[in-house]
Amino acid sequence: MKNKEHSTKRIGILGGGTAGATIAIRLAALGLETHLFEKKQSLIDGPPMCHLHAGGNLYREIPDEDCVALLKQCIDILRLYPYTIDVRPTVFAVPTRDEGLPEDLLPRLDILTDAYRELVAQDANNKVLGEPEDYYQLYSHEQLLQLAECEQVNEPSTVDEWMIPVAKYLDLNKVKYPLLVVQEYGWNIFRLAASAQLALEEQRHAHIFTDTAVTQVIPVDYNSGSNMDHSVTKWRIDYKQADTSEASSIEVDYLINACGFRTGIIDDMVGVEVSRMVEFKSSYITHWDKSGGQIPEIIVYGNRGTPEGMAQLTPYPGGYFQIHGMSKAITLFDDGLVASNTASAQPRLPRQYMHYIEDGWDKAPLQARSQQAIDYVAEFVPTFQSARTVGNALYGGQQIPGKDDTLRVADVSLYGNIRYARAENVKASSTLIAADQVVNELVALGFIDGDTPENQNRHTHQWAYLAHNDSVAVDEVARNLAEQRGFPLAMAGVNHSICARTGQTSTQA
């Protein structure tokens, strides 16, 4: 794509993951010439994701206020990307071997219910997770025994119908009661990538460079005084596109680092010192043709990093399932968590994991871990032992700002004096909040006027691309992306999609 000179300010965004793409959508809509650079062939192709953390109930260890923040962020991001969501509940079970009790989580769930109720009272369009009073429900052992006798429904429409396969397949003697059923939905990475692509294609101020490597960034208009006086007003981005032999460059008025686990590389180029960690993680794709129809997501709690870490079984259409097992034999790795040091802001993952990220998994270890994932789930869902591996995984490096590897809520760091921002999203749901913070910074710098209809449209979620695209349009692009990345086409779909921004749902295979 050829660059054009415009009188408006020019923004450079490095990294086309969820953060970079979402920030680009936000800035381009405000009329800023937004140049987005992504190393891979398509946007949003990063570490494993599958779950909209609308309340953060997977994480017993994080504070209640972080869970409320995740709830708010998820509702916000869902309204930007409504056709990425699989509308089905998540079942949380505490295993009998665990020291915790289901009742320990009830105060948090009540806090989240109240927070959701308040958000709906503020704006009725926030009611995207069903009725607030239905945010969570409890199921006793007796109720599950009764449901186990019921005929399974292929396309559930009530919570009881969703719980029939849980009652039939979960080993009811290995979990404590009650089971918790929460309206935390699925989040489809292929549909998220498709939605971002469609949104940016509609923005004439968005200039997308995929399959493009950024080689360096250099300040070209700066005052190199003391830390207090040091300032930069322009950056030069040098880059090379895969289909050309020549290097290119562009000058921008503001630089945004959204490079995910490679964020520290740009920090080093810019000269910003920061502490962070990077964790290599993987989830595994399996096929189970004996599920009898649609089932909810099933979470079995456990202590992260131990041999009995949390198990997560996430359903997709067509009998495909994604598995996380938070032990070092499955999703986590013995040497997969690394930290930065005084010499560099970029943590160095072991060479083997960088090989997986750059070139793909080697067949033998992928097969072995995929089978271990099946065995892990089968401890609690015995008939899942018949599932088979499909030779693919969702994996990558995840950045964690600071030195706390339990951190689940983070957004962006701003350096106004050098016109630089760094997106630090542990969870993809915080990317729209990060975009807002960047916009506020650009308003303060005089780049844009914050009191414009275009800016207000964001807060009422009047996203232009949603007026011209629906679930069917997203499905077509998502299927192309799934095929391009080597995943089953069925995984590009959802069983129950949001078909209107009012929160109605439809069944889609």
Side-chain angles (χ1 to χ4, degrees):
M1 183 179 297
K2 294 181 179 180
N3 298 324
K4 298 180 180 179
E5 290 295 328
H6 292 275
S7 59
T8 53
K9 296 295 185 181
R10 183 182 284 164
I11 311 298
I13 302 176
L14 312 182
T18 310
T22 302
I23 293 170
I25 292 168
R26 182 87 166 90
L27 300 187
L30 297 176
L32 293 160
E33 295 302 327
T34 304
H35 298 259
L36 176 63
F37 299 87
E38 168 53 43
K39 185 177 182 180
K40 293 187 177 181
Q41 292 183 327
S42 55
L43 302 176
I44 310 183
D45 183 9
M49 61 171 290
C50 58
H51 187 99
L52 188 73
H53 294 274
N57 291 294
L58 270 72
Y59 309 115
R60 294 183 293 180
E61 69 276 12
I62 67 175
D64 292 345
E65 54 267 29
D66 284 0
C67 290
V68 172
L70 283 169
L71 174 71
K72 293 178 178 178
Q73 291 172 2
C74 286
I75 290 172
D76 208 30
I77 203 79
L78 187 157
R79 294 181 63 185
L80 168 59
Y81 299 123
Y83 305 121
T84 67
I85 304 302
D86 192 359
V87 181
R88 82 293 179 282
T90 298
V91 177
F92 296 92
V94 178
T96 53
R97 67 189 181 199
D98 193 272
E99 294 181 357
L101 297 172
E103 292 86 348
D104 297 340
L105 299 165
L106 297 185
R108 169 187 289 181
L109 287 165
D110 288 334
I111 291 171
L112 289 166
T113 299
D114 290 341
Y116 181 37
R117 185 179 292 110
E118 182 178 342
L119 290 168
V120 172
Q122 293 171 3
D123 182 352
N125 290 315
N126 283 331
K127 193 169 67 173
V128 291
L129 305 173
E131 297 294 335
E133 56 268 26
D134 297 330
Y135 174 69
Y136 80 93
Q137 295 184 41
L138 308 178
Y139 278 80
S140 67
H141 190 198
E142 291 73 20
Q143 287 174 297
L144 288 166
L145 290 175
Q146 293 174 5
L147 288 171
E149 300 300 320
C150 297
E151 184 176 348
Q152 188 172 347
V153 177
N154 186 51
E155 297 177 2
S157 59
T158 67
V159 179
D160 276 358
E161 289 176 348
W162 280 111
M163 291 301 291
I164 291 172
V166 176
K168 287 181 177 293
Y169 301 130
L170 188 67
D171 188 335
L172 301 182
N173 294 317
K174 289 190 174 182
V175 295
K176 299 178 182 180
Y177 296 93
L179 296 190
L180 313 175
V181 187
V182 186
Q183 297 306 312
E184 290 202 33
Y185 298 157
W187 202 4
N188 188 293
I189 191 170
F190 307 107
R191 301 180 74 81
L192 179 59
S195 296
Q197 178 180 316
L198 289 168
L200 287 166
E201 285 174 354
E202 291 203 1
Q203 296 290 346
R204 64 187 180 91
H205 298 291
H207 312 279
I208 312 303
F209 299 82
T210 52
D211 224 2
T212 299
V214 170
T215 55
Q216 64 179 350
V217 295
I218 301 172
V220 293
D221 188 0
Y222 62 94
N223 170 28
S224 56
S226 66
N227 287 339
M228 293 293 292
D229 299 328
H230 178 62
S231 63
V232 177
T233 55
K234 278 190 183 296
W235 292 93
R236 191 186 83 206
I237 302 170
D238 294 343
Y239 63 94
K240 185 177 181 301
Q241 295 177 282
D243 58 354
T244 65
S245 58
E246 297 181 1
S248 302
S249 64
I250 184 174
E251 290 187 5
V252 298
D253 301 288
Y254 196 92
L255 181 67
I256 299 171
N257 178 359
C259 289
F261 85 94
R262 293 185 174 92
T263 296
I265 296 174
I266 306 301
D267 278 335
D268 286 346
M269 292 180 184
V270 170
V272 172
E273 295 182 5
V274 64
S275 295
R276 67 162 52 81
M277 293 180 286
V278 166
E279 185 169 31
F280 180 77
K281 297 165 64 177
S282 183
S283 63
Y284 306 88
I285 308 305
T286 61
H287 189 263
W288 185 36
D289 57 9
K290 294 181 171 55
S291 62
Q294 297 170 22
I295 73 170
E297 183 165 3
I298 298 175
I299 305 293
V300 180
Y301 285 122
N303 293 322
R304 190 180 196 274
T306 71
E308 298 176 345
M310 183 185 71
Q312 181 177 356
L313 182 65
T314 306
Y316 286 80
Y320 290 97
F321 291 82
Q322 182 178 354
I323 302 173
H324 284 80
M326 305 310 288
S327 79
K328 293 181 179 180
I330 301 175
T331 291
L332 308 178
F333 295 77
D334 278 327
D335 50 355
L337 180 65
V338 293
S340 57
N341 55 45
T342 55
S344 174
Q346 179 59 39
R348 295 177 64 86
L349 281 170
R351 183 179 301 176
Q352 184 66 45
Y353 305 144
M354 290 303 301
H355 163 60
Y356 291 164
I357 292 171
E358 299 287 353
D359 306 316
W361 270 79
D362 295 335
K363 185 175 181 179
L366 174 58
Q367 170 67 25
R369 283 205 172 231
S370 296
Q371 186 59 53
Q372 287 166 198
I374 291 172
D375 297 341
Y376 204 66
V377 170
E379 178 184 355
F380 295 97
V381 184
T383 55
F384 194 74
Q385 192 66 61
S386 65
R388 60 177 177 83
T389 62
V390 298
N392 213 333
L394 287 164
Y395 55 91
Q398 178 179 309
Q399 68 166 325
I400 307 170
K403 300 178 180 180
D404 178 7
D405 66 352
T406 68
L407 184 69
R408 294 295 176 267
V409 177
D411 35 60
V412 69
S413 294
L414 304 168
Y415 301 83
N417 62 311
I418 60 173
R419 297 190 176 181
Y420 175 66
R422 179 179 60 246
E424 299 177 301
N425 305 102
V426 179
K427 292 300 175 189
S429 56
S430 65
T431 52
L432 192 48
I433 301 298
D436 289 341
Q437 291 181 269
V438 172
V439 168
N440 292 340
E441 178 78 354
L442 297 179
V443 170
L445 290 171
F447 282 26
I448 50 176
D449 182 0
D451 189 21
T452 64
E454 291 80 11
N455 201 23
Q456 296 306 313
N457 283 346
R458 175 267 181 270
H459 299 291
T460 56
H461 288 281
Q462 299 299 313
W463 300 101
Y465 91 101
L466 291 176
H468 310 112
N469 294 283
D470 57 15
S471 188
V472 176
V474 171
D475 184 66
E476 181 179 355
V477 178
R479 287 172 65 86
N480 290 336
L481 291 173
E483 183 176 33
Q484 179 187 103
R485 298 175 188 180
F487 288 88
L489 291 185
M491 290 185 64
V494 291
N495 287 316
H496 288 261
S497 71
I498 292 177
C499 61
R501 292 172 63 205
T502 58
Q504 295 175 325
T505 62
S506 67
T507 299
Q508 175 187 311

